[in-house]
PDB file of all heavy atoms in Angstrom:
ATOM      1  N   LYS A  10     119.522 109.945  83.173  1.00 97.00           N
ATOM      2  CA  LYS A  10     121.022 109.564  83.308  1.00 97.00           C
ATOM      3  C   LYS A  10     121.777 110.585  84.169  1.00 97.00           C
ATOM      4  O   LYS A  10     122.916 110.336  84.476  1.00 97.00           O
ATOM      5  CB  LYS A  10     121.607 109.539  81.854  1.00 97.00           C
ATOM      6  CG  LYS A  10     120.983 108.381  81.063  1.00 97.00           C
ATOM      7  CD  LYS A  10     121.760 108.026  79.852  1.00 97.00           C
ATOM      8  CE  LYS A  10     121.050 106.855  79.170  1.00 97.00           C
ATOM      9  NZ  LYS A  10     119.739 107.289  78.584  1.00 97.00           N
ATOM     10  N   LEU A  11     121.167 111.679  84.485  1.00 97.00           N
ATOM     11  CA  LEU A  11     121.839 112.674  85.376  1.00 97.00           C
ATOM     12  C   LEU A  11     122.073 112.116  86.733  1.00 97.00           C
ATOM     13  O   LEU A  11     121.203 111.305  87.197  1.00 97.00           O
ATOM     14  CB  LEU A  11     121.043 113.998  85.455  1.00 97.00           C
ATOM     15  CG  LEU A  11     120.769 114.829  84.142  1.00 97.00           C
ATOM     16  CD1 LEU A  11     119.928 116.015  84.486  1.00 97.00           C
ATOM     17  CD2 LEU A  11     122.102 115.152  83.532  1.00 97.00           C
ATOM     18  N   SER A  12     123.060 112.586  87.513  1.00 96.00           N
ATOM     19  CA  SER A  12     123.193 112.243  88.911  1.00 96.00           C
ATOM     20  C   SER A  12     121.999 112.868  89.649  1.00 96.00           C
ATOM     21  O   SER A  12     121.360 113.778  89.209  1.00 96.00           O
ATOM     22  CB  SER A  12     124.493 112.741  89.423  1.00 96.00           C
ATOM     23  OG  SER A  12     124.357 114.164  89.508  1.00 96.00           O
ATOM     24  N   LYS A  13     121.783 112.338  90.923  1.00 96.00           N
ATOM     25  CA  LYS A  13     120.709 112.865  91.689  1.00 96.00           C
ATOM     26  C   LYS A  13     120.792 114.415  91.875  1.00 96.00           C
ATOM     27  O   LYS A  13     119.853 115.107  91.758  1.00 96.00           O
ATOM     28  CB  LYS A  13     120.640 112.104  92.990  1.00 96.00           C
ATOM     29  CG  LYS A  13     119.468 112.504  93.986  1.00 96.00           C
ATOM     30  CD  LYS A  13     119.392 111.499  94.994  1.00 96.00           C
ATOM     31  CE  LYS A  13     118.734 111.997  96.216  1.00 96.00           C
ATOM     32  NZ  LYS A  13     118.671 111.014  97.265  1.00 96.00           N
ATOM     33  N   SER A  14     122.014 114.817  92.217  1.00 96.00           N
ATOM     34  CA  SER A  14     122.115 116.288  92.511  1.00 96.00           C
ATOM     35  C   SER A  14     121.945 117.093  91.286  1.00 96.00           C
ATOM     36  O   SER A  14     121.382 118.205  91.349  1.00 96.00           O
ATOM     37  CB  SER A  14     123.424 116.516  93.261  1.00 96.00           C
ATOM     38  OG  SER A  14     124.496 116.420  92.319  1.00 96.00           O
ATOM     39  N   LYS A  15     122.376 116.511  90.104  1.00 97.00           N
ATOM     40  CA  LYS A  15     122.073 117.282  88.955  1.00 97.00           C
ATOM     41  C   LYS A  15     120.618 117.412  88.500  1.00 97.00           C
ATOM     42  O   LYS A  15     120.104 118.408  88.038  1.00 97.00           O
ATOM     43  CB  LYS A  15     122.899 116.612  87.701  1.00 97.00           C
ATOM     44  CG  LYS A  15     124.334 116.794  87.743  1.00 97.00           C
ATOM     45  CD  LYS A  15     124.855 117.892  86.805  1.00 97.00           C
ATOM     46  CE  LYS A  15     126.093 118.554  87.073  1.00 97.00           C
ATOM     47  NZ  LYS A  15     127.264 117.822  87.612  1.00 97.00           N
ATOM     48  N   LYS A  16     119.934 116.237  88.796  1.00 97.00           N
ATOM     49  CA  LYS A  16     118.468 116.263  88.653  1.00 97.00           C
ATOM     50  C   LYS A  16     117.805 117.343  89.424  1.00 97.00           C
ATOM     51  O   LYS A  16     116.993 118.090  88.985  1.00 97.00           O
ATOM     52  CB  LYS A  16     117.815 114.848  89.001  1.00 97.00           C
ATOM     53  CG  LYS A  16     118.110 113.819  87.951  1.00 97.00           C
ATOM     54  CD  LYS A  16     117.508 112.438  88.465  1.00 97.00           C
ATOM     55  CE  LYS A  16     117.957 111.346  87.522  1.00 97.00           C
ATOM     56  NZ  LYS A  16     118.243 110.121  88.164  1.00 97.00           N
ATOM     57  N   ILE A  17     118.216 117.356  90.716  1.00 97.00           N
ATOM     58  CA  ILE A  17     117.633 118.334  91.608  1.00 97.00           C
ATOM     59  C   ILE A  17     117.926 119.760  91.197  1.00 97.00           C
ATOM     60  O   ILE A  17     117.116 120.637  91.188  1.00 97.00           O
ATOM     61  CB  ILE A  17     118.146 118.087  93.143  1.00 97.00           C
ATOM     62  CG1 ILE A  17     117.548 116.773  93.565  1.00 97.00           C
ATOM     63  CG2 ILE A  17     117.831 119.220  94.038  1.00 97.00           C
ATOM     64  CD1 ILE A  17     118.061 116.285  94.871  1.00 97.00           C
ATOM     65  N   ASP A  18     119.191 119.983  90.768  1.00 97.00           N
ATOM     66  CA  ASP A  18     119.610 121.318  90.274  1.00 97.00           C
ATOM     67  C   ASP A  18     118.649 121.739  89.121  1.00 97.00           C
ATOM     68  O   ASP A  18     118.184 122.815  89.089  1.00 97.00           O
ATOM     69  CB  ASP A  18     121.037 121.326  89.772  1.00 97.00           C
ATOM     70  CG  ASP A  18     122.003 121.305  90.869  1.00 97.00           C
ATOM     71  OD1 ASP A  18     121.675 121.601  92.006  1.00 97.00           O
ATOM     72  OD2 ASP A  18     123.295 121.014  90.715  1.00 97.00           O
ATOM     73  N   TRP A  19     118.554 120.845  88.161  1.00 97.00           N
ATOM     74  CA  TRP A  19     117.746 121.088  86.978  1.00 97.00           C
ATOM     75  C   TRP A  19     116.250 121.494  87.404  1.00 97.00           C
ATOM     76  O   TRP A  19     115.731 122.488  86.920  1.00 97.00           O
ATOM     77  CB  TRP A  19     117.766 120.026  85.994  1.00 97.00           C
ATOM     78  CG  TRP A  19     117.105 120.381  84.682  1.00 97.00           C
ATOM     79  CD1 TRP A  19     117.613 121.158  83.684  1.00 97.00           C
ATOM     80  CD2 TRP A  19     115.698 120.138  84.303  1.00 97.00           C
ATOM     81  NE1 TRP A  19     116.712 121.323  82.730  1.00 97.00           N
ATOM     82  CE2 TRP A  19     115.556 120.739  83.116  1.00 97.00           C
ATOM     83  CE3 TRP A  19     114.692 119.409  84.950  1.00 97.00           C
ATOM     84  CZ2 TRP A  19     114.306 120.607  82.318  1.00 97.00           C
ATOM     85  CZ3 TRP A  19     113.488 119.400  84.288  1.00 97.00           C
ATOM     86  CH2 TRP A  19     113.248 120.007  82.982  1.00 97.00           C
ATOM     87  N   TRP A  39     115.600 113.774 103.100  1.00 95.00           N
ATOM     88  CA  TRP A  39     116.610 112.687 102.820  1.00 95.00           C
ATOM     89  C   TRP A  39     116.903 111.987 104.164  1.00 95.00           C
ATOM     90  O   TRP A  39     116.884 112.570 105.153  1.00 95.00           O
ATOM     91  CB  TRP A  39     117.889 113.223 102.249  1.00 95.00           C
ATOM     92  CG  TRP A  39     117.836 113.703 100.882  1.00 95.00           C
ATOM     93  CD1 TRP A  39     116.762 113.660 100.038  1.00 95.00           C
ATOM     94  CD2 TRP A  39     118.903 114.285 100.121  1.00 95.00           C
ATOM     95  NE1 TRP A  39     117.139 114.232  98.786  1.00 95.00           N
ATOM     96  CE2 TRP A  39     118.431 114.580  98.828  1.00 95.00           C
ATOM     97  CE3 TRP A  39     120.246 114.619 100.404  1.00 95.00           C
ATOM     98  CZ2 TRP A  39     119.186 115.195  97.928  1.00 95.00           C
ATOM     99  CZ3 TRP A  39     121.051 115.199  99.459  1.00 95.00           C
ATOM    100  CH2 TRP A  39     120.422 115.528  98.188  1.00 95.00           C
ATOM    101  N   ASN A  40     117.356 110.794 104.034  1.00 94.00           N
ATOM    102  CA  ASN A  40     117.741 110.009 105.218  1.00 94.00           C
ATOM    103  C   ASN A  40     119.293 110.112 105.312  1.00 94.00           C
ATOM    104  O   ASN A  40     119.990 109.916 104.314  1.00 94.00           O
ATOM    105  CB  ASN A  40     117.265 108.583 105.152  1.00 94.00           C
ATOM    106  CG  ASN A  40     117.255 108.008 106.566  1.00 94.00           C
ATOM    107  OD1 ASN A  40     118.244 107.947 107.188  1.00 94.00           O
ATOM    108  ND2 ASN A  40     116.026 107.597 106.852  1.00 94.00           N
ATOM    109  N   GLN A  46     118.974 105.529 102.355  1.00 95.00           N
ATOM    110  CA  GLN A  46     118.543 106.422 101.307  1.00 95.00           C
ATOM    111  C   GLN A  46     118.738 105.817  99.982  1.00 95.00           C
ATOM    112  O   GLN A  46     117.904 105.959  99.060  1.00 95.00           O
ATOM    113  CB  GLN A  46     119.406 107.738 101.455  1.00 95.00           C
ATOM    114  CG  GLN A  46     118.893 108.842 100.454  1.00 95.00           C
ATOM    115  CD  GLN A  46     117.370 109.107 100.553  1.00 95.00           C
ATOM    116  OE1 GLN A  46     116.871 109.393 101.622  1.00 95.00           O
ATOM    117  NE2 GLN A  46     116.715 108.930  99.404  1.00 95.00           N
ATOM    118  N   GLN A  47     119.840 105.117  99.733  1.00 95.00           N
ATOM    119  CA  GLN A  47     120.047 104.507  98.466  1.00 95.00           C
ATOM    120  C   GLN A  47     118.973 103.482  98.114  1.00 95.00           C
ATOM    121  O   GLN A  47     118.411 103.346  97.029  1.00 95.00           O
ATOM    122  CB  GLN A  47     121.365 103.836  98.397  1.00 95.00           C
ATOM    123  CG  GLN A  47     121.830 103.452  97.043  1.00 95.00           C
ATOM    124  CD  GLN A  47     123.135 102.678  96.946  1.00 95.00           C
ATOM    125  OE1 GLN A  47     123.853 102.716  97.926  1.00 95.00           O
ATOM    126  NE2 GLN A  47     123.374 102.080  95.803  1.00 95.00           N
ATOM    127  N   ASP A  50     116.091 105.427  97.001  1.00 94.00           N
ATOM    128  CA  ASP A  50     116.352 105.989  95.708  1.00 94.00           C
ATOM    129  C   ASP A  50     116.183 104.998  94.584  1.00 94.00           C
ATOM    130  O   ASP A  50     115.768 105.260  93.458  1.00 94.00           O
ATOM    131  CB  ASP A  50     117.771 106.478  95.591  1.00 94.00           C
ATOM    132  CG  ASP A  50     117.987 107.755  96.418  1.00 94.00           C
ATOM    133  OD1 ASP A  50     117.000 108.386  96.818  1.00 94.00           O
ATOM    134  OD2 ASP A  50     119.216 108.117  96.580  1.00 94.00           O
ATOM    135  N   ASN A  55     114.462 108.353  88.888  1.00 97.00           N
ATOM    136  CA  ASN A  55     114.415 109.832  89.025  1.00 97.00           C
ATOM    137  C   ASN A  55     114.079 110.330  90.425  1.00 97.00           C
ATOM    138  O   ASN A  55     113.348 111.312  90.546  1.00 97.00           O
ATOM    139  CB  ASN A  55     113.494 110.424  87.978  1.00 97.00           C
ATOM    140  CG  ASN A  55     113.937 110.196  86.596  1.00 97.00           C
ATOM    141  OD1 ASN A  55     115.165 109.764  86.374  1.00 97.00           O
ATOM    142  ND2 ASN A  55     113.023 110.397  85.605  1.00 97.00           N
ATOM    143  N   THR A  56     114.480 109.624  91.464  1.00 96.00           N
ATOM    144  CA  THR A  56     114.148 110.129  92.836  1.00 96.00           C
ATOM    145  C   THR A  56     114.891 111.423  93.142  1.00 96.00           C
ATOM    146  O   THR A  56     116.023 111.582  92.913  1.00 96.00           O
ATOM    147  CB  THR A  56     114.531 109.098  93.888  1.00 96.00           C
ATOM    148  OG1 THR A  56     115.831 108.575  93.597  1.00 96.00           O
ATOM    149  CG2 THR A  56     113.515 107.962  94.012  1.00 96.00           C
ATOM    150  N   ILE A  57     114.069 112.442  93.721  1.00 97.00           N
ATOM    151  CA  ILE A  57     114.692 113.609  94.145  1.00 97.00           C
ATOM    152  C   ILE A  57     114.601 113.883  95.641  1.00 97.00           C
ATOM    153  O   ILE A  57     115.173 114.757  96.250  1.00 97.00           O
ATOM    154  CB  ILE A  57     114.166 114.882  93.320  1.00 97.00           C
ATOM    155  CG1 ILE A  57     112.606 114.903  93.452  1.00 97.00           C
ATOM    156  CG2 ILE A  57     114.580 114.758  91.932  1.00 97.00           C
ATOM    157  CD1 ILE A  57     112.035 116.203  92.964  1.00 97.00           C
ATOM    158  N   SER A  58     113.763 113.048  96.321  1.00 97.00           N
ATOM    159  CA  SER A  58     113.600 113.164  97.789  1.00 97.00           C
ATOM    160  C   SER A  58     112.788 111.928  98.188  1.00 97.00           C
ATOM    161  O   SER A  58     112.518 111.006  97.386  1.00 97.00           O
ATOM    162  CB  SER A  58     112.887 114.420  98.138  1.00 97.00           C
ATOM    163  OG  SER A  58     112.928 114.640  99.580  1.00 97.00           O
ATOM    164  N   ASN A  59     112.384 111.908  99.445  1.00 97.00           N
ATOM    165  CA  ASN A  59     111.419 110.899  99.989  1.00 97.00           C
ATOM    166  C   ASN A  59     110.200 111.610 100.293  1.00 97.00           C
ATOM    167  O   ASN A  59     110.073 112.724 100.743  1.00 97.00           O
ATOM    168  CB  ASN A  59     111.944 110.220 101.272  1.00 97.00           C
ATOM    169  CG  ASN A  59     113.329 109.590 101.055  1.00 97.00           C
ATOM    170  OD1 ASN A  59     113.498 108.856 100.098  1.00 97.00           O
ATOM    171  ND2 ASN A  59     114.303 109.948 101.920  1.00 97.00           N
TER     172      ASN A  59
END
Side-chain angles (χ1 to χ4, degrees):
K10 295 197 180 65
L11 297 180
S12 68
K13 183 167 157 183
S14 71
K15 289 256 153 45
K16 282 177 189 144
I17 292 171
D18 284 347
W19 186 81
W39 288 359
N40 202 301
Q46 185 52 55
Q47 192 184 347
D50 286 349
N55 296 347
T56 41
I57 55 170
S58 190
N59 302 308

